Amino acid sequence: AQTVTQSQPEMSVQEAETVTLSCTYDTSESNYYLFWYKQPPSRQMILVIRQEAYKQQNATENRFSVNFQKAAKSFSLKISDSQLGDTAMYFCAFMKPYSGAGSYQLTFGKGTKLSVIP
Amino acid sequence: DAGITQSPRHKVTETGTPVTLRCHQTENHRYMYWYRQDPGHGLRLIHYSYGVKDTDKGEVSDGYSVSRSKTEDFLLTLESATSSQTSVYFCAISDRVSTDTQYFGPGTRLTVL
């Protein structure tokens, strides 16, 4: 079974600064997908970024980028130029690739609560 | 945003009563999922569906059943609600034809007294 660990329950960052959220995972799979989801106070789960394990290039979406270290099983999220609207819970998640009817199950970490301070 | 709605959005019920939560999608996606979110646990998969009438259990399926008679609807039923089932329930959808990414509904807060 896969496990996902987010070792930072809470973090804070000054507006306009950069912050990095950590995520490690444990799997015996060689191909998989990794995701970061954001959950603001509205409770909606919003996809931030995704990474395919077979791609060496780190994914980037505007101010959000990841540092994917496959050998170390690490998948950190960097938020640049932090904005007040980035205040949210951030969840790291793992997905196995397709292998039959039991596929596509997301395994989530417990989350990191990020506060952006004005 | 993916067209996913959940109903009801909030519900308070008593122990021992049956409860059904509904997830409705307008994206015609094949895969649908039910998760629960509890403090200190993140989101955990309850059941999922990979087609009409095709469902399977997830990590925390005890006490829950599901049904999918149409592509667009996925129902989660608590046959006899217990206080341990107080949680926030999320539905998600995905379509492997274009992506493996799961998109989530707005959630349902269920309180069992």
Side-chain angles (χ1 to χ4, degrees):
Chain A
Q2 285 67 230
T3 59
V4 177
T5 302
Q6 294 179 248
S7 59
Q8 306 148 315
E10 292 192 38
M11 296 187 72
S12 61
V13 62
Q14 293 286 337
E15 194 175 6
E17 297 294 307
T18 296
V19 64
T20 298
L21 281 58
S22 300
C23 173
T24 59
Y25 56 94
D26 186 24
T27 184
S28 59
E29 304 286 340
S30 59
N31 191 25
Y32 45 87
Y33 304 93
L34 295 164
F35 303 84
W36 279 97
Y37 283 90
K38 167 186 176 181
Q39 187 178 41
S42 66
R43 203 172 64 201
Q44 179 73 49
M45 292 289 289
I46 302 166
L47 177 69
V48 175
I49 201 165
R50 82 177 230 149
Q51 174 82 42
E52 291 90 346
Y54 64 86
K55 291 185 177 179
Q56 292 186 338
Q57 185 173 6
N58 289 325
T60 299
E61 287 288 343
N62 301 313
R63 298 183 296 107
F64 299 88
S65 61
V66 298
N67 183 4
F68 173 49
Q69 302 289 329
K70 189 172 184 179
K73 297 181 181 176
S74 171
F75 183 61
S76 61
L77 175 70
K78 185 173 81 172
I79 306 174
S80 304
D81 185 26
S82 296
Q83 300 176 0
L84 296 179
D86 295 334
T87 292
M89 283 288 289
Y90 287 82
F91 292 95
C92 178
F94 172 100
M95 179 190 288
K96 284 196 319 180
Y98 180 76
S99 59
S103 301
Y104 309 124
Q105 300 184 44
L106 276 171
T107 300
F108 284 86
K110 295 182 179 181
T112 295
K113 183 177 181 180
L114 177 67
S115 298
V116 180
I117 303 167
Chain B
D1 291 342
I4 313 169
T5 57
Q6 293 184 231
S7 58
R9 295 293 312 279
H10 300 87
K11 186 172 182 65
V12 179
T13 191
E14 295 188 350
T15 298
T17 60
V19 176
T20 295
L21 308 182
R22 180 185 184 230
C23 177
H24 179 78
Q25 58 143 331
T26 58
E27 305 296 323
N28 200 36
H29 282 6
R30 178 181 177 187
Y31 299 90
M32 300 185 75
Y33 311 80
W34 277 108
Y35 292 88
R36 61 178 288 174
Q37 182 178 27
D38 305 292
H41 288 279
L43 279 79
R44 294 178 291 174
L45 182 67
I46 304 171
H47 281 280
Y48 65 98
S49 170
Y50 46 98
V52 174
K53 298 190 187 304
D54 292 323
T55 65
D56 205 348
K57 297 178 179 180
E59 178 187 358
V60 290
S61 60
D62 287 349
Y64 301 94
S65 62
V66 291
S67 64
R68 191 169 178 200
S69 59
K70 297 184 291 184
T71 298
E72 58 266 36
D73 289 327
F74 192 33
L75 305 181
L76 176 70
T77 298
L78 291 65
E79 300 290 348
S80 178
T82 68
S83 59
S84 64
Q85 294 175 312
T86 292
S87 187
V88 179
Y89 291 86
F90 286 95
C91 173
I93 66 173
S94 69
D95 178 2
R96 194 178 181 274
V97 171
S98 59
T99 177
D100 294 300
T101 301
Q102 293 184 19
Y103 296 95
F104 286 80
T108 294
R109 180 176 293 279
L110 175 67
T111 302
V112 183
L113 301 176

